[in-house]
Amino acid sequence: MDTEFGQDLITITDEDGKEYELEILSTVEYNGSLYYALAPAETDDEEEELEVSILKAVQENGEEILCAVEDEEELEQVYELLIDQLYDEEDEEEL
């Protein structure tokens, strides 16, 4: 995985060679693995809902790649951790 645009933006390439620019919204660790909450870096102003993807970082041939989370239970647990993290950050900002 190459970080081309700075700390919060990355470019990933899918299996077909198509590149996507994504913003890293948050990261969380679960069962020893790192998960990324990502959203498209460029969005239409008319788009009402933010499309967020949760991808798992895995090592393959010495390189970090991002994979879709296939297990529904694992995805739900990671989602809950991300939501808890979001609310914890909001609570800290209010202090």
Side-chain angles (χ1 to χ4, degrees):
M1 176 179 69
D2 294 327
T3 304
E4 293 184 3
F5 300 104
Q7 213 169 4
D8 297 322
L9 297 176
I10 61 171
T11 299
I12 63 171
T13 306
D14 70 8
E15 297 165 341
D16 299 323
K18 184 174 181 184
E19 289 188 348
Y20 297 91
E21 295 175 15
L22 301 171
E23 179 179 0
I24 301 171
L25 303 175
S26 187
T27 60
V28 68
E29 215 172 303
Y30 173 72
N31 283 345
S33 296
L34 183 63
Y35 296 82
Y36 289 83
L38 304 163
E42 296 178 18
T43 58
D44 296 334
D45 292 335
E46 297 175 12
E47 194 173 318
E48 292 180 18
E49 286 189 37
L50 179 65
E51 184 179 323
V52 176
S53 299
I54 298 174
L55 299 177
K56 182 179 183 177
V58 296
Q59 292 292 322
E60 188 172 285
N61 297 325
E63 185 178 331
E64 182 180 75
I65 62 169
L66 298 177
C67 299
V69 180
E70 303 287 330
D71 184 283
E72 289 294 323
E73 186 176 323
E74 177 183 8
L75 183 60
E76 190 172 316
Q77 292 296 318
V78 170
Y79 175 79
E80 291 295 325
L81 288 171
L82 287 163
I83 293 298
D84 290 346
Q85 184 181 65
L86 174 67
Y87 284 120
D88 286 347
E89 288 173 3
E90 285 180 1
D91 290 343
E92 288 176 9
E93 288 176 6
E94 291 177 4
L95 297 176

